[in-house]
Amino acid sequence: MIELTCKTFADTELAPKAGLFDKEHKFPEEQVRKLGELGLMGIVVSPDYGGSGLDYVSYAIAMAEISRGCASTGVIMSVNNSLYNGPIDNFGNEQQKQKFLTPVASGTHIGCFMLSEPGNGSDAGAASTTAVDKGSHWLINGAKAWITNAHDAHYGVLFATTNKSLKHKGISAFIIDMSTPGISIGKKEDKLGIRASSTGTITFEDVKIPKDNLLGVEGNGFKIAMSTLDAGRIGVAGQAIGIAHASLDCAVKYSKERKAFDQSISNLYAIQEKLADISTGLDAARLLTFKAAMLKDKNLPFTKDAAQAKLFASELATKAAHQAIQVLGGMGYVSDMPAERHYRDARITEIYEGTSEIQRLVIAGSLLKEYSS
């Protein structure tokens, strides 16, 4: 049911407009609002807090179909579901869930996740943004970089150092109202792909937030961030699957219509080989992603599986988009066709929520532990 709902929405509301959104760097406000109405901005969140109460397999399916229509809309949906809703749903208290989770999970507001900084990148434990306990409030100073939904978010989950001497164990998580005085947002980054989603640097200058906005316990921020990213990788894998699927759709359609040597080029072995490889990879990526989602739904360890799913699906998305352009030839290189947009959109899936290099470290680390036990 959710696959059909998302497929219909992608085909009617997203795919016809995705090229324009990309060209104009336009946030798909109306489409995001409709995603909320469909319950897709809080898929795994309980209906008690505005969500749909579904499982992670449903989330992976939804991410793939929505991203097939528009990868930018997919990442907006992914950040909302995995990176904002996830930590509040898992670590927030009842008051925090009612105030900060319900409006975002229901789709009336947008959330963001503020972990990366200008100087830390993949070293998430080196947070230079600080949160100082002032008795009646927390005082926050610092900057967060590469924040998806930066210019559109109403609320955000922030990670800041509360005790520098403890290093990563001195990082805490906070819920931020983005309208709080002292918060400023830099220019929208002019990105290679996913251009309809906003990305920017968020600066905090003597920002006062209530003591009640501490998420979980003090010093637990790094753990919250890592567990959140584990689940988020299922969403990114779904996004990558959607991009790869869109690339395959584009390549197959064009190959059947394009004539050369008195026949459709789909009859040529060189073309069939590319289509076969993309199709095979796509099914493998789906199975890896659904396995990770099923493990999470059963509360079983899934860190390695989520990393494998994201690694394989993201690299497949880049390969599929690359090969789709080869099938289209010159037509794949111009914006009249969506192949070049898929190619640009695919590249980021190998970078955010942990680069491919980080995924291989996670996989290898988990694997070596399994062999040691």
Side-chain angles (χ1 to χ4, degrees):
M1 183 66 179
I2 191 167
E3 184 175 16
L4 178 60
T5 298
C6 293
K7 182 180 187 304
T8 301
F9 186 84
D11 289 340
T12 58
E13 296 283 344
L14 296 176
K17 302 171 184 175
L20 181 64
F21 294 154
D22 172 79
K23 184 177 181 180
E24 297 183 352
H25 296 229
K26 182 180 179 182
F27 184 82
E29 185 174 1
E30 180 183 352
Q31 286 70 24
V32 170
R33 177 181 58 77
K34 290 179 179 179
L35 285 177
E37 293 172 356
L38 289 171
L40 298 176
M41 296 299 275
I43 294 175
V44 302
V45 175
S46 166
D48 293 340
Y49 305 111
S52 296
L54 300 178
D55 57 16
Y56 262 82
V57 173
S58 299
Y59 173 49
I61 291 170
M63 275 299 304
E65 284 299 326
I66 295 302
S67 300
R68 182 180 60 82
C70 175
S72 291
T73 304
V75 73
I76 295 165
M77 174 177 150
S78 175
V79 169
N80 218 67
N81 276 277
S82 302
L83 302 188
Y84 178 83
N85 292 345
I88 298 179
D89 197 20
N90 292 324
F91 297 95
N93 58 41
E94 181 64 23
Q95 180 185 1
Q96 290 172 337
K97 290 180 181 181
Q98 291 290 350
K99 183 176 181 180
F100 297 111
L101 179 59
T102 300
V104 176
S106 64
T108 60
H109 290 67
I110 301 293
C112 68
F113 180 82
M114 296 173 280
L115 176 63
S116 295
E117 297 187 354
N120 70 3
S122 295
D123 186 6
S128 59
T129 296
T130 59
V132 179
D133 187 347
K134 291 294 186 179
S136 61
H137 62 271
W138 293 97
L139 187 68
I140 298 178
N141 282 282
K144 295 292 179 177
W146 312 114
I147 307 304
T148 302
N149 296 344
H151 298 79
D152 304 288
H154 300 86
Y155 302 112
V157 173
L158 170 76
F159 297 88
T161 296
T162 49
N163 188 333
K164 205 162 192 173
S165 65
L166 296 177
K167 299 184 178 178
H168 70 278
K169 292 183 179 180
I171 296 174
S172 301
F174 301 89
I175 306 171
I176 305 293
D177 182 333
M178 299 302 289
S179 65
T180 305
I183 297 176
S184 59
I185 302 172
K187 66 178 179 66
K188 286 187 180 181
E189 298 291 350
D190 186 7
K191 307 189 297 289
L192 174 70
I194 56 165
R195 291 154 68 96
S197 67
S198 66
T199 304
T201 296
I202 301 175
T203 302
F204 298 82
E205 296 184 60
D206 291 334
V207 174
K208 297 178 181 179
I209 64 168
K211 295 294 290 292
D212 290 343
N213 285 26
L214 174 69
L215 181 62
V217 299
E218 186 176 347
N220 210 32
F222 187 78
K223 178 182 177 182
I224 292 173
M226 293 303 102
S227 66
T228 298
L229 289 173
D230 281 346
R233 285 164 186 157
I234 295 173
V236 175
Q239 181 194 27
I241 289 168
I243 296 169
H245 192 172
S247 298
L248 180 62
D249 288 347
C250 180
V252 170
K253 182 175 184 295
Y254 184 83
S255 72
K256 291 170 72 68
E257 295 172 350
R258 175 78 164 90
K259 304 292 183 182
F261 309 106
D262 298 321
Q263 61 181 320
S264 296
I265 64 171
S266 61
N267 293 329
L268 302 176
Y269 174 76
I271 300 299
Q272 292 182 355
E273 182 181 32
K274 297 181 190 304
L275 301 180
D277 286 349
I278 297 172
S279 177
T280 303
L282 199 47
D283 276 355
R286 288 192 183 102
L287 290 172
L288 283 168
T289 303
F290 293 159
K291 179 190 176 187
M294 289 172 65
L295 288 171
K296 175 156 179 56
D297 287 333
K298 293 180 179 180
N299 293 316
L300 294 171
F302 71 98
T303 296
K304 184 183 78 171
D305 300 272
Q308 289 179 160
K310 183 194 181 284
L311 174 65
F312 188 88
S314 63
E315 294 191 348
L316 169 73
T318 299
K319 177 183 176 182
H322 183 152
Q323 293 302 321
I325 289 176
Q326 289 299 110
V327 172
L328 271 66
M331 286 302 297
Y333 202 68
V334 295
S335 60
D336 300 55
M337 299 291 282
E340 60 85 29
R341 170 165 47 86
H342 301 326
Y343 187 70
R344 291 185 287 104
D345 288 342
R347 194 63 189 84
I348 189 61
T349 63
E350 295 185 62
I351 298 173
Y352 57 22
E353 296 193 41
T355 63
S356 290
E357 290 76 13
I358 291 295
Q359 301 316 305
R360 287 183 167 89
L361 286 176
V362 171
I363 294 163
S366 297
L367 184 67
L368 291 171
K369 285 181 181 177
E370 290 172 9
Y371 273 80
S372 298
S373 59

